[in-house]
Amino acid sequence: MSRPKFLPDNFTLALAGTVAFASILPCRGEAAVAVDWLTNFAIAMLFFMHGAKLQREAIVSGATQWRLHALVLLTTFVLFPLFGLAFKPILSPLVTPTVYTGVLFLCTLSSTIQSSIAFTSMAKGNVPAAICSASASSLLGIFITPALISLIISNHATSGSPWATVGNIVLQLFVPFAAGQLLRPAIGGWVERKRNVIRFVDQGSILLIVYSAFSEGVAEGLWHRLSISSLGALLLIDGILLATALVTTSMISKWLGFSREDRMTVTFCGSKKSLASGIAMAKVMFASSTVGAIVLPVMLFHQIQLMVCAPLAQRWGEKHR
């Protein structure tokens, strides 16, 4: 029996189920402390696996196209935050201040690796360049995102000073990532053979982080402060951001004279935001009471970008056959 087209993928359903479970049965007391420790371990494992999966050969093969990579990084870490700030006077009244803080946080995140590469491949774009660009974005985001947050988000929203935040990010995210990359020669073959296991670890880690974040949020009255109309407004805000990014990357890459294959790479790498990095970073960077509301824009944007970009990539790929 084929899966209905309107039904989201299993991971999206699992995310929704995790949020619902945390809303009904949030962890409290000693259980919350245990889940917090387990979540920190899950974050480390998530980035360790990302490091172990990263193929240096693919990065080297696509690293020569510096103009393409510069444009992707410019879109990801400069234009996106500017979009978030430019739309703030118009869109921020539609949601709570904490939720719009989450929107600004979304705008500072790195590109996602898996879907950027997958959509570029579907659209018959430059896949080696996509691997290099998305991987570089993910790695640089560990350092750039905290710096951007300190510039565009008020200090009371974060869990500490900018330097302390960067230190925590390096310790909890970059060190495991670097360890995974260093151990790739020894475990890379196993990682390639056990992709289903690695995928389970990745998704399981994200679900655990989401449960921990929303448990804290529910305890602080998240759903009492966030109405159904606010959720609808957040969907609209995320949709506007994605549409703006898609149009901008497509127009600029064409104006700069990139080939058709490179334009596909710029469009799909420059318009994506990483759910994995966003969930993990939010847990490290923001106060526990606000994390649930702050990751909502990231979670919704993740689903919107999949639903919009998958048919776009397929359509553009079919045109180029």
Side-chain angles (χ1 to χ4, degrees):
M1 183 177 177
S2 61
R3 187 187 188 91
K5 291 184 178 181
F6 63 85
L7 191 66
D9 62 274
N10 290 336
F11 182 58
T12 300
L13 293 174
L15 276 174
T18 301
V19 171
F21 184 70
S23 301
I24 298 171
L25 290 173
C27 57
R28 304 176 186 273
E30 293 183 2
V33 175
V35 168
D36 190 56
W37 278 96
L38 189 58
T39 299
N40 290 336
F41 175 76
I43 291 172
M45 283 298 299
L46 181 68
F47 276 79
F48 176 81
M49 291 302 180
H50 281 187
K53 289 188 295 183
L54 185 58
Q55 298 179 10
R56 273 170 278 185
E57 300 83 2
I59 294 178
V60 171
S61 69
T64 57
Q65 296 177 281
W66 64 269
R67 290 176 67 245
L68 183 151
H69 305 315
L71 181 55
V72 170
L73 292 174
L74 179 68
T75 303
T76 302
F77 296 118
V78 178
L79 292 183
F80 244 112
L82 290 177
F83 293 154
L85 291 172
F87 292 147
K88 185 177 180 180
I90 302 171
L91 300 179
S92 61
L94 301 176
V95 293
T96 66
T98 303
V99 170
Y100 204 83
T101 295
V103 172
L104 294 176
F105 172 63
L106 161 71
C107 292
T108 68
L109 291 175
S110 63
S111 178
T112 183
I113 297 178
Q114 291 91 337
S115 61
S116 294
I117 297 169
F119 292 145
T120 299
S121 177
M122 289 172 61
K124 304 296 189 296
N126 188 338
V127 174
I131 295 172
C132 178
S133 196
S135 300
S137 174
S138 182
L139 179 59
L140 291 173
I142 295 175
F143 304 98
I144 295 176
T145 294
L148 289 173
I149 290 298
S150 68
L151 289 174
I152 68 174
I153 295 179
S154 57
N155 291 331
H156 71 269
T158 57
S159 60
S161 69
W163 288 111
T165 298
V166 171
N168 288 334
I169 290 289
V170 169
L171 182 62
Q172 295 191 42
L173 307 186
F174 180 71
V175 170
F177 182 94
Q181 182 65 186
L182 289 172
L183 290 174
R184 178 172 170 78
I187 65 175
W190 181 85
V191 169
E192 293 297 328
R193 292 192 303 271
K194 302 292 184 180
R195 290 190 177 187
N196 288 336
V197 175
I198 303 304
R199 184 182 180 189
F200 177 80
V201 172
D202 277 357
Q203 295 186 352
S205 299
I206 293 172
L207 293 176
L208 180 61
I209 299 166
V210 168
Y211 175 71
S212 175
F214 275 88
S215 289
E216 293 279 0
V218 170
E220 295 293 329
L222 170 64
W223 297 124
H224 294 291
R225 301 194 301 267
L226 195 64
S227 64
I228 296 297
S229 60
S230 293
L231 283 175
L234 182 55
L235 284 169
L236 175 64
I237 292 170
D238 279 353
I240 290 173
L241 283 173
L242 178 60
T244 304
L246 286 169
V247 171
T248 302
T249 51
S250 179
M251 291 179 62
I252 292 179
S253 59
K254 187 174 183 179
W255 177 66
L256 290 175
F258 283 100
S259 67
R260 188 256 175 209
E261 290 77 11
D262 288 349
R263 292 203 305 272
M264 295 298 98
T265 303
V266 171
T267 298
F268 287 114
C269 291
S271 62
K272 301 292 160 295
K273 291 295 181 178
S274 173
L275 174 67
S277 295
I279 296 292
M281 283 190 172
K283 185 67 177 174
V284 177
M285 295 174 61
F286 295 96
S288 298
S289 59
T290 65
V291 172
I294 284 173
V295 300
L296 262 180
V298 183
M299 293 171 60
L300 292 177
F301 190 89
H302 169 77
Q303 183 59 30
I304 293 171
Q305 71 184 7
L306 293 179
M307 293 176 65
V308 171
C309 293
L312 270 181
Q314 186 175 16
R315 180 182 176 186
W316 289 343
E318 290 173 350
K319 282 185 176 181
H320 196 61
R321 283 180 179 176

